[in-house]
C-alpha cells in the first residue's frame, strides 16, 4: 500500500519534468529568433568606468634558464680579489646598508632546518643560515627576527 502512495506522488512530478523538457526543446527549435533592433542606442558614461590598477611583481627566477648558470652569474659578482681590496679600503659610510625586509620563516619539523624569506633591495630570496646574498650574510634565522652581517657590521631585523 505504501508503494502505491509513493508512485501516485512521484508520477505527476516525473510527468511535469518531462513536459518542461519538451517545452524547452520545442521553444528552442520552433520560436522566432530574437535579434537586437537597429535603432537601439546604449549610452555609456565614461566617467563611471574606473581603471583597474595593479602592479605585477615579477622578481622570480626564469624557469627556462639553467639554474646553474644563474648561480654562477650571481656568484661572480664582486668575488675578484681586486674588488675585495677596494671594498675593504672604503669606509663604512660609503657602503650604506641595502633595504632588508624579513618576511618570515619556513621550518621543516622533521629535520629542524629553517629557511628564511628575505627581501634584499626589493628582490625576495629564500635563504639558509650562512648564505651570502648581495654581500649580506645571514647569521641566524628565528621565528620573528633574522641576524645579518654587512661589511663586518651585524644587525637584527624583525618582521
Amino acid at each position: 500500500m505504501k508503494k502505491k502512495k509513493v508512485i501516485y506522488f512521484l508520477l505527476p512530478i516525473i510527468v511535469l519534468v518531462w513536459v518542461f523538457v519538451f517545452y524547452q526543446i520545442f521553444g528552442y527549435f520552433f520560436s522566432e529568433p530574437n535579434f537586437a533592433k537597429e535603432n537601439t542606442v546604449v549610452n555609456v558614461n565614461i566617467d563611471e568606468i574606473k581603471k583597474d590598477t595593479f602592479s605585477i611583481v615579477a622578481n622570480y627566477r626564469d624557469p627556462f634558464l639553467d639554474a646553474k648558470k644563474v648561480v654562477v652569474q650571481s656568484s661572480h659578482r664582486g668575488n675578484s680579489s681586486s674588488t675585495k681590496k677596494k671594498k675593504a679600503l672604503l669606509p663604512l659610510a660609503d657602503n650604506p646598508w641595502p633595504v632588508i625586509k624579513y618576511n618570515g620563516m619556513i621550518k621543516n619539523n622533521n629535520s629542524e632546518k629553517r629557511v628564511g624569506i628575505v627581501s634584499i633591495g626589493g628582490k625576495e630570496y629564500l635563504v639558509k643560515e650562512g648564505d651570502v646574498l648581495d654581500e649580506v650574510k645571514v647569521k641566524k634565522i628565528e621565528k620573528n627576527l633574522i641576524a645579518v652581517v654587512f661589511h663586518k657590521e651585524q644587525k637584527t631585523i624583525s618582521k
Side-chain angles (χ1 to χ4, degrees):
M1 191 71 171
K2 279 188 172 183
K3 290 183 180 180
K4 285 186 178 182
K5 288 182 182 178
V6 172
I7 290 175
Y8 290 139
F9 177 71
L10 290 179
L11 190 63
I13 294 174
I14 294 172
V15 170
L16 285 175
V17 168
W18 279 106
V19 167
F20 180 74
V21 169
F22 285 122
Y23 175 75
Q24 292 292 326
I25 293 172
F26 181 79
Y28 179 76
F29 285 112
F30 297 108
S31 67
E32 289 289 323
N34 203 5
F35 297 115
K37 297 177 183 176
E38 290 181 21
N39 296 334
T40 305
V41 177
V42 178
N43 293 328
V44 177
N45 189 359
I46 296 176
D47 296 332
E48 292 178 9
I49 299 174
K50 296 180 182 177
K51 269 189 174 177
D52 188 18
T53 58
F54 61 92
S55 63
I56 297 175
V57 179
N59 58 358
Y60 48 84
R61 182 183 67 82
D62 188 356
F64 298 106
L65 293 177
D66 189 17
K68 293 178 184 176
K69 290 181 183 177
V70 174
V71 172
V72 169
Q73 289 174 355
S74 65
S75 66
H76 283 298
R77 274 193 279 168
N79 281 347
S80 66
S81 60
S82 63
T83 56
K84 283 185 181 179
K85 290 178 184 177
K86 288 179 185 176
K87 289 178 184 175
L89 295 176
L90 292 175
L92 291 177
D94 291 343
N95 295 321
W97 276 78
V99 178
I100 302 173
K101 185 178 176 185
Y102 180 52
N103 297 327
M105 176 193 70
I106 302 169
K107 179 179 160 187
N108 186 348
N109 289 333
N110 295 335
S111 65
E112 297 296 324
K113 290 184 180 178
R114 297 177 180 182
V115 176
I117 304 169
V118 180
S119 175
I120 301 174
K123 294 182 181 180
E124 282 193 357
Y125 299 100
L126 293 175
V127 296
K128 298 179 284 188
E129 291 181 358
D131 284 354
V132 178
L133 296 168
D134 295 335
E135 300 176 28
V136 176
K137 183 175 183 178
V138 178
K139 295 293 275 187
K140 186 177 183 183
I141 299 173
E142 291 185 10
K143 184 176 181 179
N144 292 323
L145 60 94
I146 188 169
V148 294
V149 176
F150 180 72
H151 291 291
K152 298 180 182 178
E153 186 179 347
Q154 184 169 349
K155 282 188 180 179
T156 56
I157 300 167
S158 60
K159 274 193 191 178

